[in-house]
Amino acid sequence: MSPLEFYPWQRATAQRWLQQRERFAHAWLIHGLAGIGKTQFAKAGAAALLCEQPQSFLACGQCDACQWVQSGNHPDLRWVRPDAVAAIENPDDSTIDSKTPSKWLRVEQLRALTDWFNTATHRGGYRVAVLYPAEALNPVSSNALLKILEEPPTHTVFLLVADRYQQLLPTIISRCRRLPLSTPDHTTSLAWLQAQMVQTPEAWLAAAGGAPLAAYRLAQQMSKPYPDWLEQLQNTLLKGQEQAIIALASEIEKEPATQWLTVLQRWYVDLLLACYGQPVRYYPDLQVSTQQLSQRSHALRLQQQWKWLLTQKQHSEHPLNAKLWVHTALERVIHSFIH
């Protein structure tokens, strides 16, 4: 998607926001649910701020500035992101260490902006830095960013993008204007997914928690909205073969911790809803078996396991013993269904 464009559900918010461009805050924290297009919003917002003849406050797509943004060569625009993100976005970039790209924003990346700050902006306009994801700031790079935000360079705007902004230093949050982006409504999301030729978009959207871009990515990566091991786990528990689910550990270990933890956490939400006689939220295709299984536990145990999974997600980027971690999670799953 062009860095000049907003998603359909973003345009009205973007226009209201960009009306302030003559008295724009020097730093904005753009946050909301993962998978709704926040990074694209920030990139298109940067293009609109740099545009020389904006149309309805959005980038015109025709001026020199827009053409430079489109080609990635605008002198007053920087995308500050971890090397791991840059490698995905620009796989042909030979300057990135493709073997072990960093998942963190390095302090050197922020210090490298100093010379940029000391040069005059092109044609006297804005200078914009888009930093994403902000959760990739480590303690050292966080302090480096904080120093910049405490004494912001003139004509410079920082756009920080975060799924979980609460993880940032409170001092960084306090120096930004917050811009929360709402999740698009169900009808809008389904229409967009259908336009992308996604089959059974309702199921994919449910599995992604209502986030259309996350749903689209899932549909490109998987054959169905939940992994095979989840269905096997549920069926094994229904047969009363609790100890047999440990055999699924080798399959689960292949996935990133954040991914399998999210699947289990959402499954427990469905179990809790079923326990109270409510329709499931995330995996409607598994509703019948989820309802049957929920009767073999009780709400307190299900809630305790859901809370444990939530705390584990906070450590999902740390190099823990993957095999031990998965086995511990599965043992806790078993315990939550033993009377």
Side-chain angles (χ1 to χ4, degrees):
M1 185 172 182
S2 166
L4 307 179
E5 299 175 26
F6 291 95
Y7 285 105
W9 54 87
Q10 298 175 338
R11 287 179 62 88
T13 299
Q15 287 174 316
R16 290 193 298 270
W17 174 54
L18 291 163
Q19 285 179 16
Q20 312 169 57
R21 64 176 288 159
E22 298 305 321
R23 52 187 187 281
F24 224 56
H26 75 279
W28 290 85
L29 177 54
I30 301 168
H31 60 92
L33 181 69
I36 61 172
K38 297 184 301 298
T39 300
Q40 183 64 30
F41 183 97
K43 290 181 176 181
L49 290 171
L50 295 169
C51 180
E52 296 169 351
Q53 48 188 31
Q55 304 294 313
S56 300
F57 307 106
L58 308 183
C60 70
Q62 304 299 320
C63 67
D64 289 343
C66 285
Q67 297 303 309
W68 293 333
V69 170
Q70 183 75 38
S71 63
N73 294 318
H74 199 295
D76 293 330
L77 176 63
R78 294 289 185 276
W79 293 348
V80 186
R81 59 208 166 165
D83 290 343
V85 175
I88 293 172
E89 295 181 345
N90 297 298
D92 298 328
D93 189 341
S94 60
T95 65
I96 301 170
D97 182 358
S98 58
K99 293 183 179 179
T100 56
S102 174
K103 295 181 179 180
W104 299 97
L105 284 162
R106 295 174 288 104
V107 66
E108 293 82 6
Q109 292 176 273
L110 294 165
R111 290 174 178 166
L113 298 176
T114 302
D115 291 340
W116 186 52
F117 294 150
N118 292 329
T119 59
T121 60
H122 187 76
R123 299 180 184 174
Y126 276 117
R127 177 192 293 118
V128 186
V130 181
L131 186 150
Y132 62 98
E135 295 92 336
L137 288 162
N138 60 32
V140 179
S141 56
S142 290
N143 285 322
L145 175 62
L146 183 58
K147 290 180 181 178
I148 295 171
L149 298 181
E150 285 175 338
E151 299 180 8
T154 58
H155 304 297
T156 301
V157 174
F158 273 84
L159 303 179
L160 281 64
V161 181
D163 296 336
R164 302 174 301 279
Y165 75 92
Q166 298 90 341
Q167 294 183 8
L168 306 181
L169 287 178
T171 42
I172 288 180
I173 297 172
S174 68
R175 283 165 174 77
C176 299
R177 287 276 299 277
R178 283 173 48 194
L179 179 61
L181 297 185
S182 59
T183 304
D185 64 76
H186 191 72
T187 301
T188 300
S189 295
L190 286 181
W192 183 80
L193 287 169
Q194 289 167 344
Q196 311 310 309
M197 308 304 290
V198 173
Q199 302 297 314
T200 62
E202 295 89 347
W204 293 106
L205 190 62
L213 298 186
Y216 178 76
R217 286 193 292 268
L218 282 177
Q220 300 306 301
Q221 298 166 1
M222 301 168 60
S223 59
K224 53 188 176 182
Y226 49 85
D228 289 334
W229 59 258
L230 178 63
E231 187 171 19
Q232 293 170 22
L233 184 155
Q234 189 155 279
N235 289 338
T236 302
L237 287 170
L238 282 170
K239 293 175 183 177
Q241 302 171 346
E242 286 84 359
Q243 294 303 322
I245 73 171
I246 298 299
L248 297 174
S250 58
E251 193 69 25
I252 299 174
E253 288 168 24
K254 298 175 184 178
E255 297 185 1
T258 302
Q259 191 169 314
W260 65 259
L261 283 167
T262 296
V263 170
L264 283 178
Q265 186 185 352
R266 290 178 171 177
W267 178 55
Y268 268 88
V269 170
D270 280 355
L271 286 165
L272 276 164
L273 288 169
C275 194
Y276 288 110
Q278 301 297 314
V280 301
R281 177 180 178 185
Y282 292 106
Y283 305 118
D285 290 349
L286 299 177
Q287 174 148 337
V288 174
S289 54
T290 299
Q291 288 173 330
Q292 294 172 350
L293 190 57
S294 70
Q295 304 308 309
R296 301 193 180 186
S297 185
H298 52 75
L300 180 59
R301 281 189 176 178
L302 296 174
Q303 189 173 40
Q304 287 172 339
Q305 177 65 358
W306 174 82
K307 287 182 177 179
W308 182 82
L309 290 165
L310 187 63
T311 61
Q312 296 306 297
K313 285 185 71 174
Q314 298 173 8
H315 310 295
S316 59
E317 296 297 333
H318 296 278
L320 301 176
N321 185 314
K323 183 180 292 293
L324 178 61
W325 204 3
V326 171
H327 275 260
T328 300
L330 291 178
E331 290 286 355
R332 290 183 65 93
V333 168
I334 292 170
H335 180 72
S336 63
F337 291 98
I338 294 178
H339 293 288

